[in-house]
């Protein structure tokens, strides 16, 4: 069976778990080889120098251990899995070493893994904030620099104020998405509105009526957030006024 190259790491990760490649890195408190080797073997060629693979593997383990020292032992208590969270950064570090990426490419790689590790909605927020900052005309920054303003002052008084205006719609849309998606946390053992409705419906056998009420509750919450969003957007969209 063959797979596209972009799927090799995923398949390798499945095989490593299935075959119990569960070595434990003490500082990382996770299975370093399962993620690092899965990524390396996805890009390595049989004719490549084995020393390069070993050096990249060591770099990944080193990064995993250092991040483990930074985040542990509180990582698990906060609901994160070290192999998945720290392992992503460790595997990325190994690939950067093996592929000999430059500084810009390495920065982009770590940015991608940070977005993935932080979750889907956090990734959306990161993209919203990035786009909001980029939306500010670079000419304003150049003009501010030309009159002697410090970079931090430019961001404080010129860039951030405009970026916030542009970021509000997308940010509140993510909030709405989080509200609508909150029902899935029942799978993690959290009893929220939808879970409570499911329990009530099971005991009363009034499934249709119960779910209609729940739908109405979600609708009211979304309408309120949307109304507040509209008011906030109109408020901050007003041009600056002289006092």
């Amino acid at each position: 069976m063959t797979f596209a190259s972009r799927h090799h790491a995923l398949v390798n990760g499945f095989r490593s778990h299935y075959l119990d490649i569960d070595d434990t890195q003490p500082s990382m408190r996770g299975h370093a080889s399962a993620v690092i080797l899965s990524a390396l073997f996805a890009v390595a060629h049989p004719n490549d120098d084995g020393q390069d693979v070993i050096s990249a593997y060591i770099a990944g383990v080193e990064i995993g251990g250092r991040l483990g020292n930074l985040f542990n032992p509180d990582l698990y208590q906060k609901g994160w899995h070290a192999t998945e969270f720290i392992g992503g950064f460790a595997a990325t570090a190994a690939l950067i070493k093996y592929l000999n990426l430059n500084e810009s490419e390495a920065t982009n790689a770590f940015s991608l893994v940070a977005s993935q590790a932080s979750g889907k909605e956090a990734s959306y927020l990161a993209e919203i904030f990035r786009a909001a900052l980029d939306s500010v005309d670079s000419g304003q920054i150049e003009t501010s620099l030309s009159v002697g303003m410090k970079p931090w002052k430019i961001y404080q008084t010129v860039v951030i104020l405009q970026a916030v205006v542009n970021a509000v719609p997308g940010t509140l849309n993510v909030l709405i998405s989080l509200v609508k998606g909150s029902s899935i946390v029942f799978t993690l053992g959290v009893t929220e509105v939808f879970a409570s409705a499911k329990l009530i419906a099971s005991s009363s056998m009034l499934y249709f009526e119960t779910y209609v009420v729940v739908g109405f509750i979600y609708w009211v919450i979304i309408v309120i957030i949307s109304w507040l969003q509209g008011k906030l957007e109109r408020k901050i969209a007003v041009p600056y006024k002289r006092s």
Side-chain angles (χ1 to χ4, degrees), residues 152-182:
W152 67 268
K153 191 66 174 179
I154 295 173
Y155 271 89
Q156 180 184 16
T157 60
V158 178
V159 177
I160 297 299
L161 292 177
Q162 298 180 72
V164 167
V165 175
N166 296 329
V168 165
T171 301
L172 291 179
N173 286 339
V174 170
L175 173 61
I176 292 174
S177 177
L178 285 172
V179 172
K180 293 188 292 186
S182 63

Side-chain angles (χ1 to χ4, degrees), residues 31-100:
H31 310 305
S33 295
V35 286
I36 297 174
L37 291 179
S38 294
L40 283 175
F41 288 162
V43 299
H45 190 274
N47 296 328
D48 291 347
D49 187 354
Q51 185 64 42
D52 293 338
V53 177
I54 294 174
S55 297
Y57 172 77
I58 293 173
V61 172
E62 180 71 16
I63 292 297
R66 289 179 179 271
L67 289 176
N69 287 332
L70 179 64
F71 290 111
N72 288 320
D74 299 329
L75 193 64
Y76 271 107
Q77 298 172 1
K78 294 179 179 179
W80 297 92
H81 191 274
T83 302
E84 178 183 4
F85 180 75
I86 298 178
F89 290 93
T92 301
L95 292 175
I96 290 172
K97 172 70 174 176
Y98 183 76
L99 299 173
N100 195 28

